[in-house]
């Protein structure tokens, strides 16, 4: 690496220095694979790394829409061969007003093609650090919430039990209950939950069913998922049903509003969230509802609410959480492409996942040690 001048900012200097140390081995393998499977490019193509058929990151507008163009693995029995497994939960049968989140996995995958595997600020190249696959979607049952929950729990349990880190593309927030249920069965100790949202989602029923307003009531009914380890970040506005607030008060959950987090500072807020979620727990699940952001940034969601987080606040928060301790997995929910504008909601969903994975890699939490659950 050549001499660096002194005009960089601290973060930029770290990023530039870090890039020089990143390997290119997997990128070179991807190029070789593309040439083998996609044929050498036409004679007029000067860059001989370009194949005839797109088989890698480039061009970003080409190819099949898997998440970050990760390989599609049709045989889900092989997911344990990868460090990270992405799976969709295209379900909006728990939605109580504006439906459309069943298209969330499609929307997130589509816009994820805009990204590459390298983050400048984090100094991480996912392609060079971990292996990822896309398993496609869980077969959800549109007319039956409970059968869909069983499908999701089985799918998530399979991936988690394989040793792969699960990334769930929602879907409405009702899936929070079955995803946690799928994780909890692999632990004898307690599981904590870090929940980003504008809504508490802790009432027992809504419209006489277990809907997207109820996942945490039922998740914290699981014996090893105590309510004291549920921390909810960003709650506020005019869409918080009082029955859910009552349940949280009675069960001793922790709520942090946007104002709480901003006034104490994102660093301290993240410390408190980690303290609560990890108190006596052996694993923590990250559940991210896109509507925790201000409605201006997430028009493509069912219950947008002004006054939420700014993107840079949320991304900082997520980075601190992923840096601190290994996570059991992550779900991103309530992304509704039919209501979106220029894919910006799907874009923030993608960014949250990428930053989480990047920080887990940077902190040494991914790839997981062989044999670790």
């Amino acid at each position: 690496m050549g001499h660096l001048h002194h005009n960089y900012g601290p973060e930029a200097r770290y990023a530039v220095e870090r890039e020089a140390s990143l390997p290119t081995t997997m990128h070179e393998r991807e190029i070789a694979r593309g040439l083998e499977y996609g044929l050498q490019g036409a004679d007029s193509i000067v860059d001989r790394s370009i194949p005839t058929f797109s088989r890698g990151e480039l061009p970003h507008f080409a190819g099949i829409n898997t998440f970050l163009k990760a390989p599609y693995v049709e045989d889900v029995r092989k997911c344990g061969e990868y460090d990270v497994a992405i799976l969709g939960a295209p379900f909006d049968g728990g939605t109580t007003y504006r439906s459309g989140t069943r298209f969330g996995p499609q929307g997130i995958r589509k816009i994820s093609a805009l990204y590459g595997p390298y983050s400048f600020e984090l100094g991480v190249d996912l392609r060079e650090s971990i292996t990822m696959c896309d398993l496609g979607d869980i077969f959800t049952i549109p007319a039956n919430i409970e059968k869909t929950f069983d499908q999701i729990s089985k799918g998530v349990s399979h991936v988690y039990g394989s040793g792969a880190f699960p990334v769930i593309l929602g879907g409405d927030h009702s899936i929070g209950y079955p995803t946690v249920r799928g994780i909890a069965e692999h632990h004898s100790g307690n599981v904590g939950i870090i929940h980003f949202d504008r809504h508490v989602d802790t009432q027992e029923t809504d419209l006489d069913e277990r809907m997207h307003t109820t996942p945490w009531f039922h998740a914290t009914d699981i014996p090893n998922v105590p309510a004291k380890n549920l921390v909810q970040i960003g709650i506020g506005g005019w869409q918080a049903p009082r029955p859910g607030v009552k349940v949280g008060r009675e069960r001793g959950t922790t709520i942090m509003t946007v104002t709480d987090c901003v006034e104490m500072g994102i660093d301290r807020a993240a410390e408190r969230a980690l303290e609560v979620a990890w108190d006596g727990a052996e694993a923590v699940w990250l559940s991210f509802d896109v509507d925790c952001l201000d409605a201006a940034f997430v028009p493509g969601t069912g219950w947008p609410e002004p006054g939420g987080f700014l993107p840079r606040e949320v991304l900082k928060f997520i980075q601190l959480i992923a840096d601190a301790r290994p996570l059991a997995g992550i779900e991103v929910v309530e992304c509704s492409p039919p209501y979106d504008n220029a894919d910006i909601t799907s874009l923030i969903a993608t960014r949250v996942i990428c930053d989480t994975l990047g920080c887990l890699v940077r902190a040494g939490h991914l790839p997981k040690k062989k044999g670790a659950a």
Side-chain angles (χ1 to χ4, degrees):
M1 182 173 62
H3 175 72
L4 293 179
H5 59 70
H6 300 291
N7 295 326
Y8 291 108
E11 185 178 49
R13 185 179 184 86
Y14 163 81
V16 171
E17 289 178 337
R18 177 65 181 155
E19 191 280 330
S21 68
L22 295 175
T24 60
T25 306
M26 299 308 295
H27 187 208
E28 290 162 8
R29 285 188 192 176
E30 183 179 286
I31 291 171
R33 179 179 177 274
L35 293 172
E36 179 183 359
Y37 292 170
L39 306 179
Q40 179 69 64
D43 292 343
S44 59
I45 301 297
V46 176
D47 184 348
R48 303 314 288 167
S49 69
I50 294 177
T52 301
F53 291 86
S54 174
R55 288 294 182 270
E57 177 188 351
L58 301 176
H60 286 280
F61 52 79
I64 306 300
N65 285 326
T66 60
F67 186 80
L68 286 187
K69 295 194 173 180
Y72 170 58
V73 173
E74 188 172 18
D75 186 349
V76 298
R77 295 170 296 181
K78 296 181 178 180
C79 64
E81 298 174 10
Y82 296 83
D83 299 315
V84 175
I86 296 94
L87 58 156
F91 181 70
D92 57 13
T95 303
T96 55
Y97 188 38
R98 303 202 307 179
S99 60
T101 56
R102 69 180 65 187
F103 302 110
Q106 289 182 10
I108 294 169
R109 287 186 175 107
K110 184 179 74 171
I111 201 63
S112 77
L114 194 63
Y115 280 12
Y118 165 64
S119 166
F120 176 72
E121 304 103 299
L122 298 183
V124 169
D125 190 328
L126 296 179
R127 177 169 48 200
E128 302 296 334
S129 309
I130 54 175
T131 56
M132 296 192 296
C133 70
D134 194 322
L135 302 179
D137 293 339
I138 291 171
F139 195 134
T140 60
I141 313 299
N144 195 301
I145 293 172
E146 299 302 325
K147 289 181 179 178
T148 291
F149 285 176
D150 291 342
Q151 289 280 88
I152 293 171
S153 289
K154 184 174 181 179
V156 172
S157 177
H158 169 75
V159 171
Y160 191 67
S162 78
F165 180 87
V167 175
I168 318 300
L169 313 178
D172 70 44
H173 217 157
S174 68
I175 73 169
Y177 164 57
T179 54
V180 170
R181 185 172 64 176
I183 299 297
E185 66 183 49
H186 291 278
H187 290 276
S188 56
N190 289 343
V191 176
I193 303 168
I194 295 178
H195 166 220
F196 284 82
D197 208 325
R198 288 290 273 159
H199 315 106
V200 289
D201 294 349
T202 45
Q203 62 198 79
E204 182 174 6
T205 61
D206 193 352
L207 306 179
D208 208 40
E209 294 284 352
R210 301 202 276 193
M211 306 295 276
H212 69 164
T213 49
T214 71
W216 308 128
F217 180 97
H218 302 287
T220 57
D221 266 352
I222 299 170
N224 63 332
V225 187
K228 75 176 182 67
N229 290 115
L230 169 62
V231 55
Q232 303 182 282
I233 302 163
I235 307 303
W238 293 86
Q239 301 166 357
R242 290 181 62 185
V245 177
K246 180 175 183 288
V247 166
R249 182 170 59 246
E250 292 173 347
R251 292 193 172 189
T253 65
T254 295
I255 293 175
M256 301 165 66
T257 69
V258 173
T259 300
D260 288 336
C261 295
V262 171
E263 290 190 350
M264 74 171 66
I266 299 300
D267 289 79
R268 179 64 191 116
E271 287 178 14
R272 181 172 298 179
L274 288 160
E275 288 167 3
V276 172
W278 280 103
D279 182 20
E282 66 179 37
V284 167
W285 179 254
L286 178 57
S287 182
F288 187 89
D289 187 329
V290 296
D291 68 32
C292 71
L293 286 125
D294 187 274
F297 302 102
V298 287
T301 193
W303 289 86
E305 172 67 31
F309 286 113
L310 299 175
R312 63 173 175 266
E313 293 167 343
V314 154
L315 294 174
K316 178 65 173 177
F317 215 134
I318 290 290
Q319 291 169 13
L320 291 167
I321 287 170
D323 270 333
R325 300 279 295 270
L327 293 168
I330 179 176
E331 65 190 0
V332 177
V333 299
E334 296 292 349
C335 182
S336 184
Y339 285 97
D340 211 359
N341 180 38
D343 299 312
I344 62 172
T345 309
S346 295
L347 187 64
I348 191 64
T350 301
R351 180 63 189 269
V352 165
I353 294 168
C354 290
D355 278 26
T356 300
L357 294 177
C359 286
L360 289 171
V361 166
R362 183 174 67 174
H365 306 318
L366 279 178
K368 291 191 284 187
K369 293 183 176 64
K370 191 173 182 181

